[in-house]
Amino acid sequence: MKSKIGRNDPCWCGSGRKYKNCHMAFDEQIMLSKLQGHVVPDHCLIKTPAQIEKIRESAKINIAVLDEVSDKICAGMSTEEIDRIVYDTTTKMGGIPATLNYEGYPKSVCTSVNDEVCHGIPSSDVILKDGDIVNVDCSTILDGYFSDSSRMFCIGDVSPERKKLVDVTRECVQLGLEQVKPWGFLGDMSQAVYDHAAKNGYSVVRNIGGHGVGLQFHEDPWVGYIFRRGTQMLLVPGMMFTIEPMVNMGSWEIEQNDPNGWTVRTVDHKPSAQWEIQVLVTEDGHEVISY
Ligand code: MF3
Ligand code: CO
């Protein structure tokens, strides 16, 4: 945090207002939390109203793309076809799929089926079949602003066990979201997610999580789900991050040894589910930016 702004200097946020009439009290509250030993956000993690508006525009595309996938996805479709739908819909609306060429990732979306935990690569060889559960993880860049969310889809007749995993994982995200409020802590969200998964006999993946997002694809903080209430980063208005727990029917252990270098699977090959939302911390709670 930059410390020496005068009371009458322009605020660091770019509002044009004097510091004392803008973020001064806000910074003092953050400083107090820091003195109490908490991890606090840097100014660069706090989005301005203008930036938030641009990120919302990006998210409109991301949501529309997932809606389009939701309309079309069915048994017999290859995950390559999902990739095509994502690429076409995103680019027609003026966006760029954020995963395409990201650190060498070759496709416009991640499609993770059954025991695939995340980062499944779309392929014409992977045909969705009755009973599959699949995560479609979509991310968009519009004018340099990022949005990121994912949904689960149940293909045809899915077993009650798999259906329950998908439903409980969605509930985990909802319960986590309800904990997101200014001057609370990221760990409040984490514990709500973890407890609901554990209560249902599931495990939560430990070393892959969510992330700050908006001005870049992946920003601080890292968002894990094994943390306790009252720990992890202080939440303040203007912060934006994803809640995207991967919930496993069996053990939390995962492996990344697919020759494609990306796909993560459960070690026990039991199914895994994930839903992802992008959340803004507001003055009085939270706003879901992408889902
Ligand atoms: N949408 C994924 C996330 O939540 C993207 C992972 S990067 C990829 O961060 F290259 F694997 F797609
Ligand atoms: Co993400």
Side-chain angles (χ1 to χ4, degrees), residues 137 148 209-211 217-218 242 244 276:
D137 190 340
D148 184 10
H211 48 93
F217 196 178
H218 297 116
T242 67
E244 51 174 314
E276 174 179 18

Side-chain angles (χ1 to χ4, degrees), residues 48-96:
T48 67
Q51 291 169 334
I52 292 165
E53 200 39 51
K54 299 292 280 184
I55 299 165
R56 276 200 199 95
E57 290 301 314
S58 172
K60 271 188 201 160
I61 299 177
N62 213 57
I63 294 163
V65 170
L66 279 165
D67 287 346
E68 186 71 15
V69 170
S70 178
D71 284 347
K72 302 226 166 111
I73 197 167
C74 61
M77 182 181 265
S78 71
T79 52
E80 173 78 29
E81 286 172 74
I82 295 172
D83 187 70
R84 186 33 73 181
I85 293 168
V86 170
Y87 181 83
D88 288 348
T89 312
T90 306
T91 52
K92 256 184 220 139
M93 293 180 74
I96 303 166

Side-chain angles (χ1 to χ4, degrees), residues 20 62 96 134 163 165 188-189 217 288:
K20 67 181 180 192
N62 213 57
I96 303 166
V134 55
K163 177 82 170 54
L165 177 70
D188 306 349
M189 180 283 297
F217 196 178
V288 176

Side-chain angles (χ1 to χ4, degrees), residues 39 179 185-196 204-210 221-233:
V39 182
Q179 294 296 320
F185 297 93
L186 199 53
D188 306 349
M189 180 283 297
S190 309
Q191 187 171 351
V193 168
Y194 184 91
D195 286 353
H196 191 62
V204 183
V205 170
R206 297 175 177 223
N207 49 347
I208 310 179
W222 185 75
V223 180
Y225 310 95
I226 55 166
F227 301 117
R228 310 299 290 177
R229 163 167 288 284
T231 70
Q232 299 293 298
M233 193 179 279

Side-chain angles (χ1 to χ4, degrees), residues 15 28 55 75 79 86 91 98 122 135 164 169 173 202 207 219 228 232 252 264 269 272:
S15 64
E28 282 168 359
I55 299 165
T79 52
V86 170
T91 52
N135 173 273
K164 185 181 168 197
T169 305
V173 172
Y202 301 142
N207 49 347
E219 306 171 2
R228 310 299 290 177
Q232 299 293 298
W252 55 268
V264 177
H269 297 297
S272 180

